[in-house]
Protein backbone atom coordinates (compact mmCIF):
# COMPACT_ATOMS: atom_id res chain seq x y z
CA UNK A 1 0.00 0.00 0.00
CA UNK A 2 2.81 2.40 0.87
CA UNK A 3 4.65 1.63 -2.37
CA UNK A 4 1.44 2.01 -4.38
CA UNK A 5 0.84 5.49 -2.90
CA UNK A 6 4.45 6.48 -3.58
CA UNK A 7 4.18 5.28 -7.17
CA UNK A 8 0.82 6.97 -7.76
CA UNK A 9 1.77 10.33 -6.21
CA UNK A 10 5.45 10.56 -7.06
CA UNK A 11 6.32 11.28 -3.41
CA UNK A 12 9.31 9.37 -2.05
CA UNK A 13 7.97 9.43 1.51
CA UNK A 14 4.42 9.38 2.87
CA UNK A 15 2.60 9.99 6.14
CA UNK A 16 1.22 6.95 7.92
CA UNK A 17 -1.79 7.33 10.21
CA UNK A 18 -2.75 4.12 12.02
CA UNK A 19 -5.49 3.57 14.58
CA UNK A 20 -5.45 0.67 17.07
CA UNK A 21 -4.38 -2.44 15.13
CA UNK A 22 -3.40 -0.13 12.27
CA UNK A 23 -0.74 1.28 14.58
CA UNK A 24 0.45 -2.20 15.47
CA UNK A 25 0.78 -2.97 11.75
CA UNK A 26 3.00 0.10 11.39
CA UNK A 27 5.39 -1.06 14.12
CA UNK A 28 5.47 -4.60 12.75
CA UNK A 29 6.27 -3.34 9.24
CA UNK A 30 9.01 -0.91 10.31
CA UNK A 31 10.56 -3.45 12.68
CA UNK A 32 10.55 -6.50 10.40
CA UNK A 33 11.26 -4.55 7.19
CA UNK A 34 13.55 -1.63 8.16
CA UNK A 35 13.53 -0.27 4.58
CA UNK A 36 9.93 0.84 5.24
CA UNK A 37 11.24 3.49 7.65
CA UNK A 38 12.90 5.37 4.77
CA UNK A 39 9.51 5.69 3.05
CA UNK A 40 7.78 7.35 6.03
CA UNK A 41 7.84 11.11 6.68
CA UNK A 42 6.11 10.57 10.01
CA UNK A 43 4.02 7.85 11.60
CA UNK A 44 0.96 8.98 13.56
CA UNK A 45 -0.14 6.14 15.82
CA UNK A 46 -3.53 6.46 17.52
CA UNK A 47 -4.49 4.23 20.49
CA UNK A 48 -1.66 1.76 19.75
CA UNK A 49 -2.54 -1.82 20.66
CA UNK A 50 0.74 -3.34 21.87
CA UNK A 51 0.49 -4.79 25.39
CA UNK A 52 -2.02 -6.14 27.90
CA UNK A 53 -4.18 -3.29 29.23
CA UNK A 54 -3.13 -2.74 32.85
CA UNK A 55 -6.60 -1.98 34.17
CA UNK A 56 -8.58 -4.52 32.18
CA UNK A 57 -11.84 -5.20 33.98
CA UNK A 58 -12.58 -8.71 35.32
CA UNK A 59 -15.29 -9.41 32.76
CA UNK A 60 -12.89 -8.80 29.88
CA UNK A 61 -10.08 -10.73 31.61
CA UNK A 62 -12.28 -13.80 31.92
CA UNK A 63 -13.59 -13.37 28.38
CA UNK A 64 -10.06 -13.14 26.97
CA UNK A 65 -8.96 -16.31 28.77
CA UNK A 66 -11.94 -18.25 27.41
CA UNK A 67 -11.55 -16.89 23.89
CA UNK A 68 -7.80 -17.55 23.87
CA UNK A 69 -8.29 -21.19 24.89
CA UNK A 70 -10.82 -21.61 22.07
CA UNK A 71 -8.57 -19.84 19.57
CA UNK A 72 -5.75 -22.30 20.20
CA UNK A 73 -7.91 -24.95 18.54
CA UNK A 74 -8.63 -22.97 15.39
CA UNK A 75 -5.60 -24.12 13.40
CA UNK A 76 -6.29 -27.76 14.28
CA UNK A 77 -9.90 -27.36 13.21
CA UNK A 78 -8.81 -25.44 10.07
CA UNK A 79 -10.85 -22.37 10.93
CA UNK A 80 -9.69 -19.50 8.71
CA UNK A 81 -12.41 -16.83 9.01
CA UNK A 82 -14.29 -15.79 12.14
CA UNK A 83 -17.21 -13.51 12.93
CA UNK A 84 -18.31 -12.97 9.32
CA UNK A 85 -20.93 -10.34 8.67
CA UNK A 86 -24.36 -11.84 8.11
CA UNK A 87 -28.04 -10.93 7.94
CA UNK A 88 -28.52 -12.60 11.33
CA UNK A 89 -25.85 -10.36 12.88
CA UNK A 90 -27.44 -7.25 11.41
CA UNK A 91 -30.87 -8.31 12.70
CA UNK A 92 -29.50 -8.78 16.24
CA UNK A 93 -27.76 -5.40 16.10
CA UNK A 94 -30.99 -3.72 15.01
CA UNK A 95 -32.92 -5.45 17.79
CA UNK A 96 -30.54 -4.23 20.49
CA UNK A 97 -28.93 -1.06 19.16
CA UNK A 98 -31.54 0.80 17.14
CA UNK A 99 -32.05 4.23 18.78
CA UNK A 100 -35.76 3.63 19.52
CA UNK A 101 -35.34 0.03 20.70
CA UNK A 102 -36.36 -0.86 24.27
CA UNK A 103 -33.19 -2.93 24.48
CA UNK A 104 -30.96 0.05 23.71
CA UNK A 105 -29.77 0.29 27.38
CA UNK A 106 -28.33 -3.24 27.07
CA UNK A 107 -26.49 -2.24 23.92
CA UNK A 108 -25.07 0.81 25.67
CA UNK A 109 -24.03 -1.27 28.66
CA UNK A 110 -22.20 -3.75 26.42
CA UNK A 111 -20.51 -0.87 24.63
CA UNK A 112 -19.26 0.61 27.91
CA UNK A 113 -18.05 -2.78 29.21
CA UNK A 114 -16.01 -3.48 26.10
CA UNK A 115 -14.64 -0.07 25.12
CA UNK A 116 -14.74 2.01 28.30
CA UNK A 117 -17.12 4.55 29.79
CA UNK A 118 -17.72 7.63 27.66
CA UNK A 119 -19.79 10.75 27.26
CA UNK A 120 -18.64 11.15 23.67
CA UNK A 121 -20.94 8.60 22.06
CA UNK A 122 -23.51 9.77 19.57
CA UNK A 123 -26.27 7.23 20.18
CA UNK A 124 -27.64 7.76 16.70
CA UNK A 125 -24.36 6.37 15.35
CA UNK A 126 -24.29 3.37 17.68
CA UNK A 127 -26.18 1.10 15.27
CA UNK A 128 -23.70 1.97 12.51
CA UNK A 129 -20.78 1.20 14.82
CA UNK A 130 -22.19 -2.12 16.00
CA UNK A 131 -23.33 -3.11 12.49
CA UNK A 132 -19.77 -2.99 11.21
CA UNK A 133 -18.15 -4.28 14.40
CA UNK A 134 -18.54 -7.89 13.23
CA UNK A 135 -17.44 -7.73 9.62
CA UNK A 136 -15.32 -10.88 9.44
CA UNK A 137 -11.66 -11.36 10.23
CA UNK A 138 -8.76 -13.66 9.54
CA UNK A 139 -8.64 -16.20 12.37
CA UNK A 140 -4.85 -15.99 12.34
CA UNK A 141 -4.87 -12.20 12.75
CA UNK A 142 -7.35 -12.34 15.61
CA UNK A 143 -5.39 -15.08 17.36
CA UNK A 144 -2.22 -12.98 17.01
CA UNK A 145 -4.05 -10.04 18.66
CA UNK A 146 -5.09 -12.29 21.53
CA UNK A 147 -1.53 -13.57 21.78
CA UNK A 148 -0.25 -10.00 22.20
CA UNK A 149 -2.75 -9.33 24.96
CA UNK A 150 -2.19 -12.69 26.68
CA UNK A 151 1.63 -12.50 26.64
CA UNK A 152 1.86 -8.73 27.27
CA UNK A 153 4.40 -8.29 24.47
CA UNK A 154 4.49 -7.74 20.73
CA UNK A 155 5.94 -10.98 19.40
CA UNK A 156 5.94 -12.78 16.10
CA UNK A 157 3.09 -15.23 15.57
CA UNK A 158 3.25 -18.29 17.83
CA UNK A 159 3.08 -21.49 15.74
CA UNK A 160 3.77 -23.72 18.79
CA UNK A 161 7.33 -24.88 19.77
CA UNK A 162 8.11 -27.35 16.97
CA UNK A 163 7.06 -25.03 14.15
CA UNK A 164 8.56 -21.99 15.90
CA UNK A 165 11.92 -23.78 15.94
CA UNK A 166 11.74 -24.26 12.18
CA UNK A 167 10.69 -20.69 11.45
CA UNK A 168 12.53 -18.67 14.10
CA UNK A 169 15.31 -20.98 15.30
CA UNK A 170 13.83 -21.02 18.80
CA UNK A 171 10.82 -22.56 20.52
CA UNK A 172 9.28 -19.22 21.53
CA UNK A 173 8.40 -16.51 19.00
CA UNK A 174 10.84 -13.58 19.19
CA UNK A 175 9.83 -10.01 20.06
CA UNK A 176 9.56 -7.42 17.33
CA UNK A 177 12.57 -5.14 17.83
CA UNK A 178 11.06 -1.67 18.19
CA UNK A 179 14.52 -0.06 18.17
CA UNK A 180 14.43 -0.69 14.42
CA UNK A 181 11.46 1.67 14.06
CA UNK A 182 13.57 4.69 13.10
CA UNK A 183 10.82 6.75 11.42
CA UNK A 184 9.49 9.74 13.42
CA UNK A 185 6.48 8.60 15.48
CA UNK A 186 3.83 10.43 17.48
CA UNK A 187 1.66 8.54 19.97
CA UNK A 188 -1.93 9.55 20.72
CA UNK A 189 -3.93 8.02 23.56
CA UNK A 190 -6.74 8.66 26.03
CA UNK A 191 -7.23 7.99 29.74
CA UNK A 192 -10.54 6.11 29.44
CA UNK A 193 -9.34 3.63 26.79
CA UNK A 194 -9.59 0.12 28.26
CA UNK A 195 -7.37 -1.36 25.55
CA UNK A 196 -4.53 1.18 25.73
CA UNK A 197 -3.41 3.12 28.79
CA UNK A 198 -0.77 5.61 29.85
CA UNK A 199 1.54 2.99 31.39
CA UNK A 200 1.70 1.03 28.16
CA UNK A 201 2.18 4.15 26.06
CA UNK A 202 5.14 5.10 28.29
CA UNK A 203 6.52 1.56 27.89
CA UNK A 204 6.21 1.84 24.11
CA UNK A 205 7.67 5.35 23.95
CA UNK A 206 10.83 4.26 25.75
CA UNK A 207 11.59 1.80 22.95
CA UNK A 208 11.18 4.19 20.00
CA UNK A 209 14.38 5.90 18.78
CA UNK A 210 12.66 8.86 17.06
CA UNK A 211 9.67 9.82 19.18
CA UNK A 212 7.92 13.06 18.18
CA UNK A 213 5.91 13.05 21.37
CA UNK A 214 3.09 11.58 23.43
CA UNK A 215 -0.27 13.31 23.16
CA UNK A 216 -3.04 12.50 25.62
CA UNK A 217 -6.62 13.45 24.79
CA UNK A 218 -7.61 16.31 27.14
CA UNK A 219 -10.80 14.61 28.29
CA UNK A 220 -11.61 12.24 31.13
CA UNK A 221 -14.34 10.63 29.04
CA UNK A 222 -12.85 9.39 25.78
CA UNK A 223 -12.64 5.66 25.04
CA UNK A 224 -11.10 3.44 22.36
CA UNK A 225 -13.86 3.90 19.79
CA UNK A 226 -14.25 7.63 20.42
CA UNK A 227 -11.14 8.20 18.30
CA UNK A 228 -13.35 7.25 15.36
CA UNK A 229 -16.86 8.38 16.29
CA UNK A 230 -16.51 10.65 19.33
CA UNK A 231 -18.52 13.87 19.21
CA UNK A 232 -15.38 15.93 19.79
CA UNK A 233 -12.78 13.74 18.06
CA UNK A 234 -11.82 16.47 15.62
CA UNK A 235 -10.91 19.15 18.13
CA UNK A 236 -9.51 16.71 20.72
CA UNK A 237 -7.44 14.52 18.38
CA UNK A 238 -7.39 15.33 14.68
CA UNK A 239 -6.50 19.03 14.93
CA UNK A 240 -3.37 18.03 16.87
CA UNK A 241 -2.52 15.44 14.23
CA UNK A 242 -2.88 18.02 11.44
CA UNK A 243 -0.51 20.31 13.35
CA UNK A 244 2.09 17.54 13.59
CA UNK A 245 1.81 16.65 9.91
CA UNK A 246 2.16 20.30 8.89
CA UNK A 247 5.58 20.41 10.55
CA UNK A 248 6.93 17.58 8.39
Amino acid sequence: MIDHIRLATGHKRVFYVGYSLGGTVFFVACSSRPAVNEKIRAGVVIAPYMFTPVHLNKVLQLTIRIIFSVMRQWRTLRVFEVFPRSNATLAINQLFCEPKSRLMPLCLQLYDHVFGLTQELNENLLLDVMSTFRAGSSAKTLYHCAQVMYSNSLKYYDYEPEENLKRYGQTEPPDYDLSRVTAPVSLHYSLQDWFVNAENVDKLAERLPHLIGKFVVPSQSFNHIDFMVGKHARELVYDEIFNIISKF
Side-chain angles (χ1 to χ4, degrees):
M1 291 169 65
I2 291 172
D3 286 338
H4 173 75
I5 294 169
R6 292 170 67 242
L7 182 64
T9 64
H11 290 280
K12 292 184 178 180
R13 296 187 299 157
V14 301
F15 290 104
Y16 184 103
V17 180
Y19 159 69
S20 192
L21 187 58
T24 312
V25 169
F26 173 78
F27 290 124
V28 165
C30 291
S31 171
S32 59
R33 301 180 182 182
V36 171
N37 290 281
E38 302 303 317
K39 304 173 183 179
I40 303 296
R41 293 179 68 177
V44 177
V45 179
I46 303 168
Y49 175 80
M50 303 287 289
F51 308 105
T52 303
V54 176
H55 303 301
L56 203 63
N57 67 55
K58 292 182 180 180
V59 174
L60 279 180
Q61 288 180 20
L62 178 60
T63 303
I64 289 167
R65 290 195 192 100
I66 295 172
I67 292 176
F68 192 73
S69 63
V70 172
M71 285 179 172
R72 295 181 72 92
Q73 308 304 317
W74 281 352
R75 276 193 302 122
T76 304
L77 298 173
R78 299 184 63 79
V79 175
F80 302 111
E81 183 186 12
V82 292
F83 307 131
R85 191 174 184 181
S86 66
N87 290 333
T89 300
L90 292 175
I92 293 172
N93 287 337
Q94 288 176 343
L95 177 64
F96 281 86
C97 301
E98 202 160 22
K100 295 181 181 179
S101 170
R102 293 181 179 179
L103 298 175
M104 180 66 152
L106 291 177
C107 188
L108 290 170
Q109 191 173 39
L110 175 63
Y111 184 92
D112 287 341
H113 272 298
V114 174
F115 300 117
L117 301 174
T118 181
Q119 296 175 2
E120 288 286 320
L121 177 65
N122 182 342
E123 293 185 11
N124 291 324
L125 289 177
L126 185 58
L127 180 59
D128 291 336
V129 173
M130 300 305 288
S131 293
T132 57
F133 183 63
R134 284 186 54 182
S137 174
S138 159
K140 185 174 182 180
T141 298
L142 198 58
Y143 179 78
H144 200 173
C145 289
Q147 175 192 315
V148 170
M149 185 174 288
Y150 196 79
S151 64
N152 195 29
S153 60
L154 184 62
K155 296 178 179 289
Y156 281 75
Y157 186 83
D158 188 356
Y159 289 95
E160 304 298 336
E162 185 176 348
E163 185 64 22
N164 288 339
L165 192 60
K166 294 178 183 178
R167 290 173 179 264
Y168 309 129
Q170 57 189 61
T171 56
E172 294 290 327
D175 288 310
Y176 284 100
D177 184 359
L178 296 180
S179 68
R180 302 176 77 183
V181 182
T182 56
V185 180
S186 67
L187 302 176
H188 303 260
Y189 66 102
S190 66
L191 300 177
Q192 192 60 258
D193 187 340
W194 288 2
F195 287 88
V196 181
N197 48 53
E199 292 93 333
N200 285 342
V201 173
D202 290 342
K203 181 178 176 181
L204 170 60
E206 291 173 357
R207 303 183 184 187
L208 298 175
H210 197 163
L211 180 68
I212 298 171
K214 298 179 294 182
F215 303 89
V216 61
V217 176
S219 169
Q220 295 297 319
S221 174
F222 202 92
N223 71 17
H224 194 70
I225 300 297
D226 288 334
F227 286 99
M228 289 194 300
V229 298
K231 295 176 183 176
H232 303 98
R234 177 172 179 172
E235 53 264 44
L236 293 177
V237 183
Y238 299 137
D239 285 347
E240 183 73 60
I241 289 173
F242 290 141
N243 288 335
I244 291 169
I245 287 176
S246 70
K247 295 175 183 178
F248 283 83

